[in-house]
Amino acid sequence: MAERVENVTSLPPCKRHITTHDAAGKSVYYGVSPPQQYALVGDGGLARSYSVALVPAKLASDEDLKGYLSADGITSWTQSSIVTPAGANLLVVDLAPGASTHMHRTVSIDFSICTVGEIDHELDSGQVVRLRPGDHIVQRGTMHRWINVSLTEPARFVAVTLSCEPFDVAGEQLKEVHLLH
């Protein structure tokens, strides 16, 4: 398991606000929200901001909250997995100046939005797209990596990952791959 810390760059931590219902059925903010825990990834980190085990999510009796606030388990706030099989994750990824992730692929569709800085999204074909705040990628199970193009400022993107059914890519079944070189 990767080491966990509350900050990996000089960017301020994201504040997480979770809503629920009180006994009278009124919408309220849930009072407990643990600090984000980043799993160290090179010169940056990945924090799971929220997770549900299934889509559609089961919110009755705060089932999702109980799973998220547990000390462990597939949807726990302490986990750093990118994809929850059959579920959904909200992730925050911070990259130190000049940092990049390793080339990887997950069995998922990901919606990633640049929120701070400029980030290159590079595919294994060599194609690159530069993202600025508000720009986003719909990542469809392809091999990719993220690169903070600034050598002086940190960068951040936020991603929602949804597991997908594996499918055939060039004669092979889509599977999770991490190239750690």
Side-chain angles (χ1 to χ4, degrees), residues 98-110:
S100 67
T101 67
H102 58 274
M103 191 67 72
H104 62 283
R105 169 180 34 228
T106 54
V107 183
S108 62
I109 183 165
D110 311 341

Side-chain angles (χ1 to χ4, degrees), residues 94-154:
D94 286 358
L95 297 170
S100 67
T101 67
H102 58 274
M103 191 67 72
H104 62 283
R105 169 180 34 228
T106 54
V107 183
S108 62
I109 183 165
D110 311 341
F111 307 100
S112 301
I113 304 166
C114 178
T115 59
V116 177
E118 293 186 2
I119 302 171
D120 279 353
H121 180 267
E122 180 182 358
L123 300 175
D124 63 351
S125 66
Q127 291 180 298
V128 177
V129 171
R130 177 144 311 158
L131 302 173
R132 292 174 177 84
D135 294 343
H136 49 277
I137 293 284
V138 177
Q139 176 69 40
R140 301 179 61 251
T142 56
M143 188 72 86
H144 67 285
R145 72 176 172 160
W146 301 93
I147 304 161
N148 179 356
V149 300
S150 174
L151 299 178
T152 60
E153 300 297 323

Side-chain angles (χ1 to χ4, degrees), residues 47-130:
R48 178 185 278 184
S49 194
Y50 204 77
S51 182
V52 293
L54 297 168
V55 175
K58 294 184 178 184
L59 306 183
S61 302
D62 290 336
E63 187 173 326
D64 62 313
L65 278 169
K66 292 171 188 168
Y68 179 69
L69 295 172
S70 70
D72 56 10
I74 195 165
T75 62
S76 171
W77 66 282
T78 64
Q79 299 298 313
S80 60
S81 57
I82 297 171
V83 179
T84 299
N89 290 302
L90 174 61
L91 308 170
V92 176
V93 180
D94 286 358
L95 297 170
S100 67
T101 67
H102 58 274
M103 191 67 72
H104 62 283
R105 169 180 34 228
T106 54
V107 183
S108 62
I109 183 165
D110 311 341
F111 307 100
S112 301
I113 304 166
C114 178
T115 59
V116 177
E118 293 186 2
I119 302 171
D120 279 353
H121 180 267
E122 180 182 358
L123 300 175
D124 63 351
S125 66
Q127 291 180 298
V128 177
V129 171
R130 177 144 311 158

